[in-house]
Amino acid sequence: MIAKRFIMASSVVLLIVLLTGSVQGQGLDPISDTNLNGQGFAPDQLLVRFHPWTNAQRADQLLAERGLSRIRQIHALGVQVLRLPPGLSVERAVEIFSNLPEVEFAEPNYILRVMAPSRVEIEDQWGLKKIQAPEAWDQIPEGNRSPVLLGIVDTGIDRNHSDLAPNIWQNQLEVDGQPGIDDDGNGYIDDTWGWDFVNNDNDPFDDHMHGTACSSVAAGARDGAGVAGVCPWCTLIAVKVMDASGSGYLDTVATGITYAVDEGARVINLSLGGMIGSQTLENAVNYAWGQGALVLAAAGNDGADARLYPAAYANAMAIASTNKDDYRSCFSNYGAGYIAVAAPGESILCATPNQGYGTYEGTSLSTPQVSGLGGLLFSQDPARTNAQVKSLIETTVNDLGPSGPDAYFGYGRINAYRAVTNDTTPTDPPPGLFSDDLTASGYAHARKLARDADGTLHLVWHGRDGEQYRVLYATSNHGGASWSTPEVVFSSSAETYHPALAIDESNVYIAFPSKHNASNYRIFFTWKPLIGGEWSLLPEPVVGGSPNAVRPDLYYDASSKKLHLVASSYDDATFVYYSSSDDGGANWSTVTQINVGYKSRYADVHASGSKIYIAGRTMETVWVLYPLIGYQRYRVFSIRSL
C-alpha cells in the first residue's frame, strides 16, 4: 500500500525507490543469493568506489587481474557497478576489494524491497467498521442475496485486480455470442463487461485510477485480502466516460448513465461533477431515476457552501464526507437542502490499477460507500423501489449535526446495519461535534487553555448560537471540576473561530479570526484583567487588509513583557503573519509577512527576549481528479529571528 498522505519536515524530503525482482531490459538481475546477513543481492555484481587518488589505469589493472568488468556507474557518487567472473562469489569479492589500498569501499549490490505494511481486509478499512458494514452483511444470508448491478460511471475499471475481478459484470449475450456482432442489439458491439465511451470501444479499462478506487469502495470482493467493498457481492459494470487525465465531456457522461441503466444497473455512482448544471445531464439523471435506479453523486471538495452537478439535481443524492471521528471533512461541500447524507471519505484504502492500493480522500470516496449500501438494500429485497431505498438510507443514519437534516451532514452519516435491519429510531447527535448553543463546536483547535500564577484555569473556545458565531470564555478555580458561566467575548453573524489565549501577571489576552465587517478573515484582539473588569472594545484588527489570516497563536514573554502574535493563511497563501506589542496589546508592530514556501495552515510562536521562534505546518493539496479526489502533503517548518 502506498499511502497518499505525506508529512515532511521543513524542506528536507526523503525519497526511497525500492525495487523487487527482475526488470527486463534494464540490466538488473534476479535475487538469487541471501548469504550476507540474510539480505538479497545480485549474485554476480559488486559495488566499488576507488579512492580519488587511484588513477583510471590502475583501477583497470585491478579489475583485469581479477576478471571483473564494468556494467555501469553512478557518476554523482563515484560508484562503479562491476560484473564478477564465474567462480568468484560476492562474499569473496567484497573481502578482496575491501583489503585493496586503492579501494575506499566494496559491497554487494543489494536488492531493496518495498516496505509495504501488511493489510488486513476490513480491519484496515475504518469506514466499513464505522458504518457497521460487517454487521449488515450478517443480516443478509448468502442464499438470500439477490444479484445487484452497480454502474460505476467513471474512468473505467481494472477488471484484472484481484479485489474486483470476481465482481465484474458479464454481458452473457455478448460473451456467448459471435465476435464482431451486436448480439444483444443495444448498439454496442461485444460490450462484454461495459463500454468505453471515451475511445468508443469495448475495453473500458481504467487508465487513470479513479474508477478502480471507487469500484473497490463500493463492491470490492470479500476474499480475505486487500480491500472489501460495502456490498462485496454486488457486480460492477464498467462505464468509462473520463479519459486518462480524469476529464470527460458532458454528453459522454450522460450517455454512460443511460447505458448503465439500460443494462440493468440499479445503482449509478457518479463521483464526478462540475459547477454548472445542464439540462442534458439532468435529463440523464431523471432518466435513471425513472427507470428505477438510485443515483448517488459526490457533493464536491471545495469546502464551501457550493453545489456541484449532478449532485444538486432533485433525483440525485448529494453525498458529503466525514472522518474517523465523525467530523465533517474540511473539504466537503455543504448547503441547506443540498446534502442528502454523509459517509466516510478520509484516509480510505482503495484498490488501484495493476494490483495496487492507495489511501485517498474526497467526496468521490464517500459516494461509493453509499452506492454500496444501496446495493445491499436492493440485494436484500429486489422488490424495493429506488424511492424506498433512498428513504431507508436517509432514515437509518446516525445523526451528527444539529438534530434532523442539516446543511453539513444532511440526514446524517450512513449506517449499513441500521439500514438493513430497518432501524429508523432517531439517534441523538453526539455532544461536542457540533452545537447551536453556547457550548464549544468541537472542531479542531477550537479551544485554548491556560493556567495563571494563582492556579485559576482560563478557557477560550468558539461556538455558535443560531446565526451568531461566538468567542466564549470561562474560568475554573476547582481544577476544571466546575466552571464559571461562559462569557460571550465576541459575537457576529460572520464566521468566527479558532481563538488564541495568553496570560500575564495581571491580564488575559485573546486573539481570534473573524469575517466581521469584511469578506476575508482578519485577526482581532481583546483583553481584560484577570480579576473583574470588562473585555476591551475591539479596535481595528491586528492583522487586516488583504490577507486571509486565521488560526492565531499568542505568546507572552515574561522576560521582555512583550506579546507576540502569529497567524497562518486560510490555506490560500504561502505566508504566516507576525506582530508584537510592548504595551499589552494597545499598539502592535507592523505585520510582517513571512513566506514559508507552501500554503500555511498552522503556526505557533515562542519568544525569549530578542529571540523569536515560529513553527508551523503547511499544506499542499494534490488533486488526482479535481475537484473530487485528492491527497495532501504536509510539511513542518520552523523559523527563528536572527
Side-chain angles (χ1 to χ4, degrees), residues 159-292:
R159 67 170 176 172
N160 300 317
H161 198 292
S162 61
D163 282 323
L164 297 174
N167 291 344
I168 297 297
W169 170 73
Q170 294 291 305
N171 185 353
Q172 212 57 50
L173 288 175
E174 292 288 356
V175 171
D176 297 337
Q178 301 180 50
I181 302 297
D182 183 10
D183 297 285
D184 60 358
N186 67 350
Y188 302 98
I189 298 173
D190 297 336
D191 56 328
T192 56
W193 62 289
W195 193 259
D196 180 348
F197 289 93
V198 175
N199 301 297
N200 196 31
D201 61 38
N202 67 340
D203 185 20
F205 193 87
D206 187 2
D207 52 5
H208 184 274
M209 57 73 62
H210 192 266
T212 298
C214 292
S215 298
S216 69
V217 173
R222 187 183 177 189
D223 56 6
V227 296
V230 176
C231 185
W233 56 82
C234 284
T235 52
L236 298 158
I237 178 172
V239 185
K240 182 174 175 60
V241 298
M242 293 185 290
D243 60 21
S245 69
S247 61
Y249 290 109
L250 181 152
D251 71 291
T252 305
V253 174
T255 304
I257 293 171
T258 60
Y259 169 79
V261 172
D262 289 343
E263 292 303 321
R266 301 294 305 273
V267 177
I268 302 296
N269 188 93
L270 300 171
S271 293
L272 49 81
M275 300 304 293
I276 300 175
S278 105
Q279 193 61 60
T280 299
L281 188 56
E282 185 174 14
N283 288 348
V285 170
N286 292 342
Y287 177 83
W289 180 264
Q291 295 297 309

Side-chain angles (χ1 to χ4, degrees), residues 124-133 344 347-348 369:
D124 285 346
Q125 294 179 261
W126 72 266
L128 289 180
K129 293 187 286 186
K130 175 66 73 171
I131 69 171
Q132 294 188 275
S347 300
I348 303 299
Q369 303 255 359

